[in-house]
Amino acid sequence: MVNEERAFDPARRRVVKLAAAVPALWLAGCGGGDGKDDGDGGDGDREVRRLSSFYLETRDGTRIAADLWLPDAARTARIGTVVMLTRYVRSTGPGSPRPEDDPNYAYAQRFLEAGLAWMYVDARGTGASFGARGGEQTSAEIEDFGDIFDWIAAQPWSNGRCATTGVSYPGGNAELAVRLGNPHLVAAAPMFSYYDVYEHLSMPGGLYSRGFMDLWRDYVAALDRVDGAICKLGESMGVSDCDAFAESFPPVKPVDGPEGAALLAAAQREHQGNVSFPGTVDARGLLFRDDALGEVAWRNMSSRTYLDALQARNVPYHVRASWLDGGSADGALARFVTQRNPQDVYIGATSHGGDYGSDPFGAADAPPDPPAQEQDRLLMAFFQRHLATDAAAPEPARRLHYVTLGEPGVWRSTETWPPAGGTPTRLHLGSGAVLSPDAPADAADTVVVQDPDANTGTRARWDTVGNGERVRVDRSGSSGLTRFVSAPFAADGRITGHLQLQLELTAGRGDGTLIAYLEAIDPQGGVTYVTEGNLRLIHRRRAAAEPPGRPLRIPRSFARADALPPVPGERFILQLYLLPTSVRIPAGHRLALCLADRDTTHFDDYAGADAPPLVVHTGGAAGSWLDFLPLLTMSTLPGNPIMRSLRLLLALAAFACAPAAFAQAYPSKPVRIIVPYPAGGPVDALARRLAESLRTQTGQPFLVDNRGGASGSLGADAVAKAAPDGHTLLLTIPDPLINAASTLRQLPYDPHKDFAFITQVATTGVVLMANPDLKARSLSDLERAGRAHASGLSFGSWGPGSLPHVIGQAMVQKSGVNFVHVPYRGAAPALQDLLGGQIGFAFGPANLAAQYAQKGQVSVIAVTGKRRSSLLPEVPTFAEQRYGTPPFLLTAWMGLLAPAGTPAAIIDTLHRQVGAALKDPGFLGFLASLGAEPVGSTAAQFRQDFEREFPLVNQLIQSTGLTPE
């Protein structure tokens, strides 16, 4: 292995030291008494203080204030520690020697009763900590975690195992700390945090959330004791007596000791230099995702920015979110689908922080679900499991637990998202303001009613973020807005997932807003809010590729260069996702889609009061519709017949059933594309882009199902055994069909007989990337680096017997260098370990190689195939570097297959549909971004290429000496 500790080198930091304010007895063991130890690092009897407040000096000399709570167990045993780093003041009051007087006493007891230490820290530039803040969640702030973890691990009561947690901002910090790769951090619990701060909190849909940001700006400035900020906060809250308000504002707790108050005053003087993040965004126009000013940048605060580093650490998570809390549930689902680290995710129907129940179908004073005691039990059990001195390695399981609105107390669990089952459905917007399963026969225009008072309600999902109160949206005053309504549900139904809305629009000006609310209308006409989606019109352009960490939404960059203002008077298509939900729609209720052109209570208005109204066009070639896809489970509740389509829930006789010709058409139901590798690699990216194209062509959802493992044979086997009706497909590289035949002892399918070949979609060379620490720029350099490693230079592949494995073994044979193979479940995990320094080199796709090389994170050495990659024209092929024989001339094709016996008519249909995609300039641009070349071969050509390549590759595998596993 290559420099396994490169990602975290303690020598690169100064030894963390205690500031002068820390009592000397802390150096001996953290507590009153003599602090005696057994002399050899063992567990002697130590005296400990239940609560101590002190300063830690970080690597750059900044002193940060910390409260440390220790349980009785710390007297005789080594224990784990949970760390929270907050910008909201760790504690208030004048300070007291009695722990019972501290405002955090009850919360701290939860950790102490679990036998854990709890450390609560003021982030630099806040509370009693020194320093000034150049922005929020800057690199300096997050790197302080490393100093904290190092200090904890050096204490005689510590077992060296730390976890992080927090709600909201501290929850975001808890996850951002993972990217450091500190060896002492073994678990994280980011709760009610925002995976993408831009989209899930501050700028949803590109709309500036002024209501929240203004409140947050004034509140944190007051907490930091910026001059005049407390009075400004009081003024914004309608308080006229500034002096009285300032006197009642809770004071910041100083550290222990006689100098505590003076040190606090000195720290608060440094806070005068703090940069207001919302103020900077508002004043400087940092309204696009790629905007930045100094340390103020959206990317700093979003966990999704650091996807590669987070995945590489494999730290287990305990996550909480709510369907009604800003976009926290959307972020939790994006993380769950994208990141492969162990996760237990809980999505409820609560306020921000989980203190109050917020189910819109429940009682106004309903308690949180699960109750607070159960939330604590689950969290402490998570920490105890991972912080124990003898803790086992974390299991790779990922589980999502969620509650359904309207079904209090009923929790469901799934290991995949979306959950299996259900019927994806499209409802069309039609004349007469109806939502119908049938497309309208005639085109019609509907004006979006303009109402300056339209909003989500005064206790909306965007309000609970700022005040933590329960969400209780009142939509009764919105009856005058544009609303499209379905027929009543004939039976109870359940909707789970994201909803995609397409509208054909005409705008009267070059900017504006579209907000869509999903509602349930009861038989008496009462309106219940379910969820919503919004978009600033200039952000209507779809991104060419799906940004990392956003697999559940229409891909948009929100970058300045991608802004696409509508042309006044011209029609355009607008697509947006509604925020995810799980909701039970009672029998007799109707679904409603309500459209608004602004919500000035929460967001900026981008059209203006005098702007011409938006016009929605229904019918026609494009049309306007609401898709319950691709992530939808819609089914009846237990005891009712299983529903095959939303038509069975609608009581309109005219829409009782579809035409017979439509029922016989292919595809007649959702199609599942199985990718036999984890999400994040090029095959997965191609599958998702192809699925979108096929969905657009057919009107049916194509769902990507990642089933990695066993060199891709698990996913391939699932397709081989599926019904041959064209509704289960395989998109794969050659490995499960060719390489696996020689590398697995028992292949559960016959690659020659169990599949119907449809088409090769694209082909791409395989790129060799090396850790830059090796200083290798060529294959000759890599050979020299390999010879310098007595134990062997390790390389990663995407599985035993994969093409990279074969190439690596062939390199061993040709060079005589001991390159040691490390198999992974896919290309993405191998690259994560390469970036983390766990392996010396790895193989991957050209697009990722180009991306990481540009950042200096890898050195690109060579590419397979007969010619250089268009993405990496400066990188020579293997053949140009004395490696001119197979397998170094092979490329990786990506092909589409079906189970054997699939009707020829379906194979032909799919071939034509893929061919249409390969003629789309946008799709071709996407392939170019992968470094792939389009193919589009016929089924016969695809099989011919397969049969020719099969014996060649397997002969190469056997010649390398690989043995079946």
Side-chain angles (χ1 to χ4, degrees):
M1 303 292 281
V2 179
N3 192 14
E4 290 186 356
E5 296 188 2
R6 187 183 70 82
F8 181 82
D9 182 6
R12 70 181 170 83
R13 290 195 179 123
R14 289 174 35 184
V15 177
V16 180
K17 57 186 180 179
L18 298 178
V22 184
L25 58 88
W26 270 89
L27 295 174
C30 189
D34 59 10
K36 61 185 179 181
D37 203 335
D38 60 6
D40 61 358
D43 295 328
D45 187 11
R46 298 178 291 269
E47 286 193 33
V48 300
R49 292 168 61 182
R50 180 58 52 89
L51 169 62
S52 296
S53 298
F54 53 93
Y55 280 113
L56 284 176
E57 187 172 319
T58 65
R59 67 215 166 276
D60 62 358
T62 301
R63 290 174 290 176
I64 55 175
D67 282 4
L68 179 68
W69 295 77
L70 289 175
D72 292 339
R75 301 177 191 276
T76 58
R78 296 180 186 272
I79 58 174
T81 306
V82 181
V83 177
M84 290 174 60
L85 189 146
T86 184
R87 68 104 55 251
Y88 297 133
V89 179
R90 76 192 193 287
S91 189
T92 58
S96 167
R98 283 169 36 89
E100 295 81 359
D101 296 335
D102 193 276
N104 294 321
Y105 177 75
Y107 187 74
Q109 289 302 109
R110 306 171 188 176
F111 296 93
L112 305 190
E113 291 170 0
L116 302 171
W118 179 50
M119 194 169 187
Y120 204 11
V121 185
D122 283 331
R124 58 174 55 213
T126 74
S129 288
F130 284 81
R133 301 172 65 79
E136 300 297 332
Q137 292 172 321
T138 62
S139 294
E141 177 176 339
I142 302 306
E143 288 173 4
D144 288 343
F145 272 108
D147 298 329
I148 295 168
F149 297 149
D150 291 350
W151 182 87
I152 291 171
Q155 304 311 304
W157 44 263
S158 171
N159 65 3
R161 299 177 70 84
C162 298
T164 58
T165 190
V167 169
S168 197
Y169 188 106
N173 276 352
E175 183 170 20
L176 290 171
V178 174
R179 68 179 173 90
L180 298 178
N182 187 289
H184 304 300
L185 180 60
V186 298
M191 300 189 293
F192 298 94
S193 60
Y194 299 96
Y195 194 58
D196 180 344
V197 171
Y198 184 93
E199 242 184 303
H200 295 145
L201 176 63
S202 300
M203 297 286 301
L207 279 61
Y208 183 61
S209 185
R210 181 171 299 281
F212 162 72
M213 293 285 273
D214 284 358
L215 172 64
W216 193 77
R217 175 198 63 206
D218 296 343
Y219 178 63
V220 297
L223 288 178
D224 297 343
R225 294 322 196 263
V226 174
D227 290 344
I230 293 180
C231 287
K232 183 177 180 181
L233 175 64
E235 181 181 348
S236 68
M237 297 172 62
V239 177
S240 58
D241 190 339
C242 170
D243 293 337
F245 182 70
E247 186 175 346
S248 66
F249 205 75
V252 178
K253 175 186 174 182
V255 299
D256 294 342
E259 301 298 320
L263 290 167
L264 172 62
Q268 290 179 342
R269 285 195 293 273
E270 292 192 1
H271 300 172
Q272 303 307 309
N274 285 0
V275 172
S276 168
F277 159 59
T280 303
V281 174
D282 196 21
R284 302 300 182 98
L286 302 185
L287 302 181
F288 294 80
R289 190 198 293 282
D290 55 343
D291 288 341
L293 182 66
E295 294 184 278
V296 180
W298 295 107
R299 69 181 315 275
N300 291 345
M301 299 174 284
S302 297
S303 302
R304 61 174 287 272
T305 301
Y306 307 98
L307 175 63
D308 294 340
L310 295 176
Q311 290 199 121
R313 310 312 175 203
N314 202 40
V315 170
Y317 284 2
H318 174 99
V319 178
R320 288 191 204 150
S322 169
W323 298 125
L324 284 307
D325 172 29
S328 71
D330 190 49
L333 291 171
R335 181 194 294 112
F336 181 76
V337 170
T338 306
Q339 291 184 203
R340 313 313 293 177
N341 58 302
Q343 298 180 45
D344 263 310
V345 181
Y346 298 84
I347 302 180
T350 67
S351 61
H352 183 63
D355 294 329
Y356 304 101
S358 290
D359 188 338
F361 292 88
D365 58 351
D369 183 14
Q373 297 88 338
E374 178 63 9
Q375 295 181 41
D376 289 341
R377 186 193 68 78
L378 291 169
L379 181 62
M380 294 307 152
F382 169 78
F383 287 138
Q384 287 175 313
R385 183 165 63 253
H386 295 290
L387 292 178
T389 302
D390 58 352
E395 298 180 0
R398 297 162 55 256
R399 289 175 291 268
L400 170 66
H401 316 275
Y402 64 95
V403 75
T404 298
L405 306 181
E407 292 185 305
V410 179
W411 283 77
R412 294 174 173 84
S413 296
T414 177
E415 295 182 357
T416 60
W417 187 261
T423 304
T425 303
R426 172 172 293 181
L427 296 180
H428 297 268
L429 282 65
S431 58
V434 300
L435 280 177
S436 164
D438 284 350
D442 301 319
D445 296 337
T446 302
V447 173
V448 176
V449 175
Q450 294 180 304
D451 183 351
D453 298 322
N455 60 70
T456 316
T458 56
R459 297 175 67 183
R461 63 168 65 239
W462 309 111
D463 297 313
T464 186
V465 177
N467 57 34
E469 294 183 358
R470 69 178 78 244
V471 178
R472 184 56 55 177
V473 176
D474 181 6
R475 299 288 296 152
S476 59
S478 64
S479 58
L481 294 178
T482 305
R483 181 177 275 112
F484 295 83
V485 183
S486 78
F489 275 44
D492 289 348
R494 189 187 307 116
I495 302 170
T496 298
H498 289 68
L499 293 81
Q500 179 177 330
L501 176 64
Q502 172 171 302
L503 296 175
E504 186 175 1
L505 296 172
T506 298
R509 57 169 294 172
D511 203 354
T513 300
L514 192 286
I515 303 177
Y517 304 104
L518 184 69
E519 306 166 338
I521 302 178
D522 65 29
Q524 291 74 42
V527 178
T528 302
Y529 168 91
V530 175
T531 188
E532 68 185 83
N534 46 49
L535 191 70
R536 184 177 174 185
L537 298 186
I538 65 169
H539 292 304
R540 60 194 175 96
R541 189 197 301 270
R542 297 173 63 102
E546 193 170 76
R550 298 181 65 249
L552 305 178
R553 301 171 68 85
I554 293 172
R556 288 192 170 91
S557 69
F558 293 98
R560 282 189 179 270
D562 288 338
L564 183 63
V567 177
E570 291 189 7
R571 292 193 181 194
F572 63 96
I573 298 297
L574 183 74
Q575 293 181 330
L576 71 152
Y577 272 166
L578 277 60
L579 288 166
T581 188
S582 181
V583 59
R584 169 183 171 268
I585 305 297
H589 283 55
R590 295 173 291 161
L591 279 180
L593 178 72
C594 182
L595 303 178
D597 68 343
R598 71 198 71 197
D599 175 0
T600 54
T601 301
H602 299 102
F603 307 112
D604 276 356
D605 181 4
Y606 297 98
D610 299 327
L614 290 170
V615 177
V616 178
H617 307 286
T618 57
S624 299
W625 37 258
L626 179 65
D627 265 3
F628 296 84
L629 61 88
L631 305 177
L632 167 80
T633 299
M634 179 172 271
S635 62
T636 54
L637 301 178
N640 291 326
I642 296 178
M643 173 180 67
R644 297 300 179 191
S645 154
L646 183 60
R647 302 178 197 277
L648 301 182
L649 293 180
L650 300 177
L652 292 178
F655 305 136
C657 57
F662 179 80
Q664 299 300 320
Y666 171 82
S668 60
K669 60 182 180 180
V671 178
R672 190 168 299 274
I673 301 177
I674 290 181
V675 174
Y677 297 99
V683 187
D684 175 69
L686 175 60
R688 295 180 184 278
R689 186 57 183 258
L690 182 61
E692 175 66 16
S693 176
L694 296 176
R695 183 198 66 77
T696 301
Q697 294 182 54
T698 66
Q700 284 285 357
F702 282 69
L703 311 177
V704 176
D705 183 354
N706 298 94
R707 298 194 188 184
S711 301
S713 64
L714 294 181
D717 186 46
V719 176
K721 293 179 170 56
D725 59 3
H727 291 91
T728 302
L729 306 175
L730 176 69
L731 186 69
T732 184
I733 56 178
D735 296 9
L737 302 180
I738 298 178
N739 305 52
S742 291
T743 56
L744 296 180
R745 293 187 184 277
Q746 291 184 331
L747 201 60
Y749 49 85
D750 185 331
H752 302 274
K753 299 179 180 179
D754 291 343
F755 297 96
F757 290 72
I758 300 172
T759 184
Q760 280 189 23
V761 182
T763 184
T764 181
V766 180
V767 180
L768 190 157
M769 294 169 278
N771 189 303
D773 289 352
L774 296 178
K775 309 298 183 184
R777 295 294 181 268
S778 66
L779 291 175
S780 296
D781 291 343
L782 194 64
E783 291 172 3
R784 285 193 291 271
R787 292 188 180 97
H789 283 72
S791 60
L793 184 62
S794 59
F795 73 93
S797 78
W798 53 68
S802 63
L803 181 56
H805 186 190
V806 174
I807 295 171
Q809 291 301 120
M811 290 173 63
V812 172
Q813 287 189 334
K814 181 172 179 60
S815 66
V817 178
N818 183 23
F819 295 126
V820 180
H821 177 231
V822 181
Y824 292 85
R825 291 170 59 90
L831 291 180
Q832 300 312 314
D833 271 8
L834 176 64
L835 297 177
Q838 281 74 43
I839 55 178
F841 64 96
F843 299 87
N847 64 319
L848 291 184
Q851 172 187 333
Y852 295 135
Q854 186 177 18
K855 299 177 182 178
Q857 295 175 293
V858 300
S859 299
V860 183
I861 305 297
V863 60
T864 68
K866 297 179 180 179
R867 56 179 178 269
R868 297 187 179 192
S869 168
S870 59
L871 273 185
L872 299 163
E874 74 286 356
V875 177
T877 64
F878 275 85
E880 293 177 84
Q881 303 182 69
R882 301 181 296 105
Y883 285 74
T885 59
F888 307 111
L889 298 179
L890 294 176
T891 57
W893 50 256
M894 293 177 278
L896 190 66
L897 302 95
T902 301
I906 292 179
I907 300 296
D908 291 342
T909 297
L910 286 165
H911 178 260
R912 288 196 303 272
Q913 292 166 348
V914 173
L918 293 176
K919 294 177 182 177
D920 177 15
F923 193 92
L924 292 175
F926 165 76
L927 289 180
S929 72
L930 291 181
E933 298 181 2
V935 180
S937 59
T938 65
Q941 291 169 335
F942 188 6
R943 179 173 285 279
Q944 183 178 5
D945 290 343
F946 165 79
E947 297 294 353
R948 182 178 60 250
E949 189 174 326
F950 187 92
L952 171 64
V953 173
N954 282 280
Q955 182 179 0
L956 289 169
I957 292 174
Q958 294 168 13
S959 69
T960 61
L962 296 178
T963 57
E965 299 184 1

